[in-house]
Amino acid sequence: MGSKNKLKRFRENETFTNVIQPSREELLQEDFKWKGKWKEFFNNDAPIVLELGCGKGEYSVGLAQRYPEKNFIGIDIKGARFWRGAKTAIEEDLNNVCFIRMQIELLAYAFAENEVSEIWITFPDPQIKYKRTKHRMTNADFLENYKKVLHSEGIVHLKTDSEFMHGYTLGLLHGAGHEVLYAHHDIYSNHEAPEEVVGIQTFYEKQYLEKQKRITYIKFKIN
């Protein structure tokens, strides 16, 4: 993407009512106005669902279209990417989805305890090299951060094309005593797969499937 396009998208994001861009200082100083008040933002009591590393926002928008009884928040540090999802949501008058530009590591500064019902992690970078372990979005530190904001019965979904990420996460979950509710190494081969998993596909996911690449899925609770 050219720098001119990025700048244009950044400017448009500033005008979108469904895009929130807190500064790092604002979050760390506990000055973020919506922490603990997301039901006020959406003006309803519906469950709050996050998509972490939402990219273009396709999955967040797809979930919002499919489940109007829930509120969805896509989170990514790259605002020029989720610009597309935010713009689509506005064009389709979807009031149950918004986007935050922030680092996922700061999640607990943007959401209060028990404020989140579900977390989706869709096609994260598997960070295969050992020295990149700390950046894997299902490592022990990340899971602890998720637990801080999740409801006691909260659910985490991991959907990935990486067999490494799937195996790593399953091993970590079992080893730490977390509760694996559902796991499959080739979700599209399972005719009983959850609708929210196979009913929504991102642009890159469709490309993976065309290349006959397996898509894996895990649904779990953090104990």
Side-chain angles (χ1 to χ4, degrees):
M1 184 191 303
S3 58
K4 287 185 178 180
N5 278 340
K6 278 189 176 181
L7 290 174
K8 180 183 177 182
R9 292 182 176 188
F10 286 143
R11 287 194 295 269
E12 277 200 70
N13 277 348
E14 290 175 359
T15 70
F16 291 164
T17 56
N18 62 354
V19 171
I20 304 162
Q21 303 186 86
S23 67
R24 182 179 178 87
E25 292 72 24
E26 182 182 351
L27 291 167
L28 292 177
Q29 292 172 11
E30 301 285 352
D31 288 334
F32 185 54
K33 66 180 292 186
W34 297 116
K35 180 178 179 179
K37 300 179 180 179
W38 282 103
K39 291 185 177 180
E40 292 180 23
F41 176 88
F42 287 105
N43 198 30
N44 61 52
D45 291 327
I48 303 294
V49 182
L50 310 182
E51 184 194 3
L52 306 181
C54 67
K56 295 181 179 181
E58 298 161 287
Y59 221 88
S60 292
V61 169
L63 288 167
Q65 291 168 330
R66 195 168 290 259
Y67 302 102
E69 72 279 9
K70 296 180 181 182
N71 296 319
F72 297 90
I73 303 175
I75 299 175
D76 206 297
I77 193 61
K78 297 187 177 179
R81 285 186 183 174
F82 66 59
W83 164 88
R84 179 64 267 173
K87 191 173 182 69
T88 298
I90 289 172
E91 291 169 347
E92 297 189 9
D93 199 26
L94 290 172
N95 297 317
N96 65 327
V97 59
C98 72
F99 296 87
I100 309 177
R101 184 176 182 268
M102 61 172 279
Q103 292 176 304
I104 294 166
E105 292 87 341
L106 301 180
L107 204 63
Y109 293 94
F111 298 90
E113 291 182 14
N114 301 312
E115 194 168 23
V116 176
S117 295
E118 295 178 63
I119 289 176
W120 281 85
I121 305 170
T122 52
F123 301 96
D125 186 333
Q127 308 286 0
I128 293 175
K129 292 183 179 179
Y130 178 76
K131 65 181 181 179
R132 301 290 296 176
T133 301
K134 65 180 181 180
H135 298 290
R136 291 178 197 153
M137 289 180 61
T138 56
N139 72 27
D141 290 337
F142 272 105
L143 294 185
E144 189 59 34
N145 270 335
Y146 305 157
K147 186 177 180 180
K148 290 177 183 177
V149 303
L150 275 169
H151 187 272
S152 59
E153 294 300 313
I155 300 294
V156 182
H157 309 262
L158 171 67
K159 189 176 181 183
T160 174
D161 63 304
S162 169
E163 292 184 11
F164 167 82
M165 188 70 169
H166 181 78
Y168 165 82
T169 303
L170 271 182
L172 187 148
L173 294 174
H174 286 307
H178 300 306
E179 185 178 357
V180 177
L181 303 173
Y182 183 101
H184 204 283
H185 71 287
D186 186 6
I187 195 66
Y188 286 97
S189 71
N190 180 6
H191 299 300
E192 297 179 357
E195 174 60 24
E196 69 268 26
V197 181
V198 296
I200 303 171
Q201 295 176 1
T202 67
F203 172 79
Y204 290 109
E205 183 177 356
K206 290 174 183 175
Q207 290 189 332
Y208 299 151
L209 291 170
E210 286 175 3
K211 295 176 182 178
Q212 298 185 329
K213 197 169 186 179
R214 292 177 177 176
I215 306 299
T216 71
Y217 171 70
I218 308 173
K219 178 179 180 180
F220 61 95
K221 287 183 179 181
I222 304 172
N223 294 329

